[in-house]
Amino acid sequence: MSGLAAGIRLAHYDQKVCILEKHWTIGGLNGFYRLGGRNYDVGLHAVTNFTPPGTKKGPLARLLRQLRFKWEDFELSPQVGSAIAFPGVRLGFTNDIEFLRSEVARAFPAEKDNFEKLLTQLVDYDDLTQDNFGGSARQFLGSVINDPLLIEMILCPLMWYGNAREDDMDFGQFCIMFRSIFLEGFARPFAGVRLILKHLVRRFRSLGGELKLRSSVASLKIDGDRVVGVELESGEVLEGKRILSSAGIVETQRLCEDLTEKVPDQRAGQLTFIESISVLDKQPKEVGFGETIVFYNDSPTFHWRSPASGLCDTRTGVICSPNNYQYPSESGNLEDGIIRLTTIADFHSWVNLDEAEYQRQKMWWYDRSVASAVRFIPDFRSHVVDTDVFTPKTIRRFTSHDNGAVYGAPEKKLDGTTHLKNLFLCGTDQGFVGIIGAIVSGISMANMHCLKD
Amino acid sequence: MGPAEIRDEILDILSDIAPDEDLSGLKDEVAFREQLELDSMDFLDIVMELRKRHRVQIPEEDYGNLASMATTVKYLEPKMADI
């Protein structure tokens, strides 16, 4: 997706652009698939950074301007309402920050003023310059908020939707995620992520861009400090003035033929998930689940790290329903009632299973994860008519990221540069995550490195 | 192109990159940034559109000349005189 956004920018300014996609379908983690006659999105729970039409500030408005799309093109319908659920405390939030304000005042009356202070300190963060990106989000929160439970509850959704680092979060990433989720908000196109991808591909092609599917890159041919050719698995070699890679930092280095020593694995991200999808015989709200997204955690402390043992850690999770958005009345609601559930998983444990055991463990962890989730939302299990589970193995297949790391490497490369003069990074490892993040990343790297001369 | 035509062309570019902005009351002497919600990415687009449409090259160190309509037109006059 970041590649498509960069491609549109460059093709619009008359550059000859070729996008190489490993798979027969596009989108990477923001892709979609069809199984048993049903359409599923891969990564999409929600498009974040939702702002209403006419808004001029913020990443959504910026990317629409940069790619020359109309607000209406993405057909975004806002969420109904979401929640952060910890034992005995629930904080609701919507796309209007006033509601979260009132929820904090209700559940944490002593923190009302501190939360205000937090809001004023966050709005000044500039995501175009990213001057203060480093630093600990936990330390920052600790300096503003006294109640440790509120700190954990604020961090839970922000880490779930975009933190590549275990335990703590970079201050800049915290600001970006806080804005994208609490100050802006969630939305979804009725037709899912495919609608956004369709628009991007159509625009890219109409500007003369070339999109080559099933074109996996085997290596980057290097001469001195420049990439001189991109060799595909098929043996074909393409030449280009500049290369943008959305493969990830470590994964891109591995493609460079000049880096002979093994790139250490620990620099790749560790956080990956299983996704348990339940198809219901009713709309989710008819079984009592009317919220858009619920981030739950079953103890006062939120543990954001790869499981210490076992295949998954079900203490925390994200429950979401694509049905629970305010779709326009003419489109009705989605035909199938769907509840998706994301659970932290361990990549290595999943890839080391043999096929029979893999299938068995998928079913076992579906049950365990759902059993954990229904402590926080009404029990929907008697209405389930179909299920699908995808695992870190699936995520690696879609993204080719080491460890199936959903949010990429913990150390971001914000300026997108590499050891080679004409090779740049875009996508998750450059710094922005999610659908809007991927698009903004592609745009900013194209602007910064490919348009100014 | 004379100053009036250059001004029209800039207005056309602005309406292309920021279609939601009302440009009718734009004051020539006041910085774009103070009147319109433009960020650094949008300023790059003014440069890029001029290059795409008229092959006018503006080096990065000259971007500061595009602060307001008046300074932009003045800066572009010699560059666009023969177009």
Side-chain angles (χ1 to χ4, degrees), chain A residues 1-10 30 49 59-60 62-64 66-67 127-128 130 173 176 200 243-249 401 407 412-417 424-451, chain B residues 41 44:
Chain A
M1 209 165 220
S2 59
L4 277 168
I8 291 173
R9 284 291 293 169
L10 301 180
N30 293 325
N49 299 95
L60 176 63
R62 184 186 296 148
L63 77 85
L64 292 172
Q66 286 277 301
L67 301 180
D127 63 353
L128 280 183
Q130 308 248 49
Q173 190 67 15
I176 290 171
L200 293 175
I243 315 294
L244 282 172
S245 169
S246 63
I249 297 175
H401 276 173
Y407 300 127
K412 301 300 180 192
K413 190 69 186 164
L414 297 175
D415 66 2
T417 54
F424 306 100
L425 301 170
C426 64
T428 26
D429 280 3
Q430 183 264 318
F432 296 109
V433 299
I435 288 171
I436 301 294
I439 296 175
V440 170
S441 169
I443 291 172
S444 43
M445 290 303 102
N447 287 353
M448 198 183 289
H449 300 300
C450 310
L451 283 176
Chain B
M41 287 190 178
L44 175 67

Side-chain angles (χ1 to χ4, degrees), chain A residues 195-402:
Chain A
L195 177 103
I196 296 174
L197 284 167
K198 187 185 82 182
H199 278 299
L200 293 175
V201 170
R202 194 178 284 168
R203 173 64 59 80
F204 177 64
R205 288 197 162 129
S206 76
L207 292 166
E210 184 186 3
L211 173 60
K212 284 166 94 94
L213 299 174
R214 301 196 76 155
S215 300
S216 188
V217 175
S219 73
L220 299 176
K221 303 275 161 211
I222 317 291
D223 182 13
D225 55 7
R226 303 182 70 82
V227 184
V228 291
V230 177
E231 184 175 6
L232 306 185
E233 299 278 0
S234 64
E236 187 185 352
V237 177
L238 303 173
E239 289 174 2
K241 198 171 167 189
R242 298 183 192 87
I243 315 294
L244 282 172
S245 169
S246 63
I249 297 175
V250 182
E251 297 83 349
T252 300
Q253 286 176 340
R254 203 175 289 137
L255 292 172
C256 295
E257 58 171 17
D258 63 328
L259 294 179
T260 42
E261 73 262 49
K262 199 175 171 296
V263 183
D265 276 349
Q266 65 268 27
R267 286 182 52 205
Q270 300 296 327
L271 284 154
T272 189
F273 313 136
I274 65 163
E275 184 90 350
S276 306
I277 300 164
S278 306
V279 182
L280 312 184
D281 60 3
K282 285 185 160 75
Q283 291 289 316
K285 66 170 184 249
E286 293 172 313
V287 303
F289 182 57
E291 289 163 305
T292 307
I293 302 172
V294 173
F295 301 85
Y296 72 83
N297 189 68
D298 71 2
S299 77
T301 312
F302 174 56
H303 302 280
W304 183 246
R305 51 171 32 257
S306 191
S309 62
L311 290 155
C312 295
D313 179 351
T314 61
R315 292 177 295 177
T316 180
V318 184
I319 312 158
C320 123
S321 172
N323 303 76
N324 295 343
Y325 285 86
Q326 301 176 47
Y327 296 122
S329 48
E330 64 270 20
S331 46
N333 208 327
L334 304 177
E335 200 178 321
D336 296 308
I338 291 175
I339 293 181
R340 304 175 57 122
L341 169 60
T342 316
T343 307
I344 298 178
D346 178 58
F347 175 78
H348 296 285
S349 307
W350 279 99
V351 287
N352 289 331
L353 300 172
D354 65 45
E355 183 55 27
E357 191 57 14
Y358 177 73
Q359 294 303 336
R360 207 181 70 79
Q361 291 291 347
K362 267 168 72 162
M363 285 158 68
W364 163 250
W365 284 101
Y366 168 88
D367 288 342
R368 288 280 298 270
S369 304
V370 173
S372 176
V374 296
R375 296 176 296 165
F376 297 91
I377 65 164
D379 194 343
F380 58 85
R381 285 176 290 187
S382 60
H383 297 281
V384 174
V385 293
D386 198 3
T387 64
D388 188 37
V389 178
F390 65 81
T391 72
K393 229 172 134 174
T394 331
I395 295 171
R396 187 180 56 176
R397 197 166 64 237
F398 273 104
T399 65
S400 302
H401 276 173
D402 282 11

Side-chain angles (χ1 to χ4, degrees), chain A residues 78-152:
Chain A
Q79 66 162 327
V80 174
S82 297
I84 309 158
F86 275 51
V89 202
R90 208 175 172 94
L91 285 177
F93 64 97
T94 60
N95 290 356
D96 180 357
I97 184 68
E98 287 311 316
F99 187 63
L100 180 59
R101 260 198 182 108
S102 67
E103 285 285 280
V104 170
R106 175 187 58 76
F108 296 91
E111 297 291 342
K112 188 171 177 277
D113 294 341
N114 291 337
F115 189 70
E116 245 6 86
K117 224 184 290 169
L118 177 72
L119 292 178
T120 49
Q121 293 194 25
L122 288 181
V123 289
D124 294 333
Y125 186 77
D126 183 353
D127 63 353
L128 280 183
T129 61
Q130 308 248 49
D131 286 337
N132 309 307
F133 190 85
S136 156
R138 281 191 178 277
Q139 215 171 359
F140 166 71
L141 279 167
S143 71
V144 187
I145 306 256
N146 295 323
D147 192 325
L149 180 59
L150 180 57
I151 294 179
E152 300 294 312

